[in-house]
Amino acid sequence: ALAPQRGWVRAGLEQRLAAPAVVSAATARLFAAAAKPAKKGAQRTKQEKAKDKPPPRRRPLMTKPVDDVYLTWLYRRPFYDLEQAVGMLKKFQQLDFTHPKQFVYINVFLDMALKKKQLDPFSGAVVLPHRFTDEVNKVLVFTENEQEAEIARENGADIVGGLELIKWILEGEIQADFYVAVPAIIPKLIPLRNKLKRKFPSTRRNSLGSDIPKMVQLFRECHEYAVEDESVIKTRIARLDMPTEHIIANLKAVIHDICTFKPSTYDPIVQRLVIRSSTSEGLQVNLDGILPQVEKVEEKEEEEQEEKSADDEDEAEKPVQGPVST
């Protein structure tokens, strides 16, 4: 409306400005057109961008502090000899006025790698040279022979029986810490395999055999441990008020038993060892003198040993055939 008065509108344009705009129904757009989808890879997520960024440079950890007051996170965790570490745990207890008979624990970090696969998480049982608890495990013996059953009872078995026990175990009426069996009854115990799992009698776990007194004595007094989180064993080994040499002997017995689950031709299964008490911090221990000394075998013997271990695993999953009567 103001354009004609300013004198800059061209001839004929005034009429076009004055005419009302006419919009056809065909060209009316009630909604905006949908945006074209972005090409694949055009937009990157924040996570992908974060991955491309170089990680922040961390200051290298120092090895040894120069005085008694320092920030622990600036220094590498020190390693101690086993005897020194046990002595420090005893000293911590005195300084902190904690219970003198508290348990001593170890955390064992494992290397489960083999050539073509990884070791499956396992559990073990070992008789410690120095008992630190009065607890006795409950042992159940499977046998259908009355003479063998009597021997098992005389040697301290808590429950002895044959096929009649299967129903009660499946229903949860009977439970035991360890299950022992003679070879003749193993084919009939297949229904219990999924129920018992790792506790199912097996020669690999020394719970399947003919020497009933030896098996019952082993599992009544043994100390059991198991792999947690795929590659860590956390277990107690002694009480802090025991003599240092007894604590060390128990620790070495557990470590040596753990090392039997991996062939000696590979790198040691134990990679790192931490010892602590119930109320103390963990102390890293030097492995020198703790791991069993083994000699490297020839390549052929190595393959035979690996095949043997594989056969043992297969045997644990398959029922043992009893004697065939003719």
Side-chain angles (χ1 to χ4, degrees):
L2 298 178
Q5 298 178 8
R6 296 186 179 181
W8 54 267
V9 181
R10 295 182 180 179
L13 184 59
E14 181 179 355
Q15 296 178 357
R16 282 180 287 177
L17 290 174
V22 179
V23 181
S24 63
T27 59
R29 299 179 64 192
L30 301 180
F31 301 99
K36 294 183 179 180
K39 294 183 179 180
K40 188 176 181 181
Q43 294 182 350
R44 307 179 64 191
T45 63
K46 294 182 179 180
Q47 295 181 353
E48 292 176 345
K49 293 180 180 179
K51 288 181 180 179
D52 293 342
K53 292 183 179 179
R57 296 184 61 183
R58 296 185 60 183
R59 201 162 114 186
L61 297 178
M62 294 176 281
T63 56
K64 189 176 181 181
V66 296
D67 52 27
D68 295 337
V69 181
Y70 59 93
L71 298 174
T72 56
W73 55 272
L74 291 178
Y75 295 86
R76 297 176 185 173
R77 290 188 63 184
F79 286 82
Y80 303 95
D81 293 333
L82 180 55
E83 187 173 355
Q84 180 186 9
V86 175
M88 291 176 65
L89 295 182
K90 291 179 176 288
K91 191 66 175 179
F92 293 158
Q93 181 272 320
Q94 296 174 4
L95 295 175
D96 297 337
F97 296 98
T98 54
H99 198 276
K101 292 187 177 182
Q102 58 188 290
F103 289 115
V104 178
Y105 296 84
I106 57 173
N107 294 355
V108 188
F109 298 86
L110 308 176
D111 176 13
M112 308 281 281
L114 297 175
K115 281 186 176 180
K116 300 179 180 179
K117 61 178 182 177
Q118 293 240 351
L119 283 175
D120 294 328
F122 56 84
S123 61
V126 57
V127 177
L128 299 177
H130 305 282
R131 288 178 56 83
F132 61 92
T133 178
D134 296 331
E135 298 175 1
V136 178
N137 299 317
K138 187 176 181 180
V139 182
L140 183 150
V141 178
F142 289 106
T143 181
E144 293 180 311
N145 187 303
E146 188 58 35
Q147 185 178 359
E148 293 176 342
E150 187 63 27
I151 294 174
R153 295 188 187 96
E154 292 176 355
N155 285 271
D158 297 275
I159 304 173
V160 183
L163 302 182
E164 69 277 4
L165 299 178
I166 295 179
K167 177 182 177 182
W168 301 108
I169 294 175
L170 291 175
E171 295 178 354
E173 298 292 334
I174 294 179
Q175 295 180 353
D177 297 317
F178 295 95
Y179 299 84
V180 172
V182 294
I185 199 175
I186 276 292
K188 303 176 183 179
L189 300 180
I190 299 303
L192 294 176
R193 184 179 296 278
N194 292 333
K195 177 71 174 180
L196 301 183
K197 297 181 180 179
R198 292 185 184 178
K199 293 186 177 182
F200 190 82
S202 168
T203 54
R204 180 68 182 88
R205 301 174 182 86
N206 298 317
S207 57
L208 174 62
S210 302
D211 194 343
I212 295 179
K214 181 179 178 180
M215 293 189 296
V216 173
Q217 183 180 4
L218 167 65
F219 291 108
R220 287 188 79 245
E221 302 178 357
C222 73
H223 174 71
E224 187 180 21
Y225 59 86
V227 176
E228 304 175 12
D229 302 328
E230 296 184 352
S231 62
V232 182
I233 294 176
K234 302 176 182 179
T235 183
R236 59 186 186 180
I237 59 168
R239 290 189 182 271
L240 195 56
D241 63 333
M242 294 173 58
T244 300
E245 56 271 17
H246 290 184
I247 298 176
I248 293 176
N250 283 359
L251 183 146
K252 289 185 176 180
V254 175
I255 295 298
H256 286 205
D257 193 74
I258 293 173
C259 291
T260 61
F261 285 88
K262 188 175 182 180
S264 59
T265 52
Y266 295 94
D267 293 334
I269 187 173
V270 178
Q271 294 296 301
R272 193 158 60 92
L273 175 63
V274 176
I275 188 171
R276 63 178 179 85
S277 66
S278 301
T279 59
S280 75
E281 63 177 294
L283 303 176
Q284 289 194 117
V285 180
N286 285 323
L287 296 177
D288 296 337
I290 298 179
L291 301 181
Q293 300 295 327
V294 294
E295 297 181 358
K296 294 292 183 179
V297 297
E298 299 295 333
E299 184 71 21
K300 183 177 180 181
E301 296 179 359
E302 176 183 345
E303 296 177 357
E304 293 177 355
Q305 191 171 2
E306 186 173 353
E307 291 177 359
K308 183 179 179 181
S309 61
D311 293 341
D312 291 340
E313 293 179 0
D314 294 340
E315 182 272 335
E317 299 297 331
K318 296 180 181 180
V320 177
Q321 297 295 333
V324 180
S325 59
T326 56

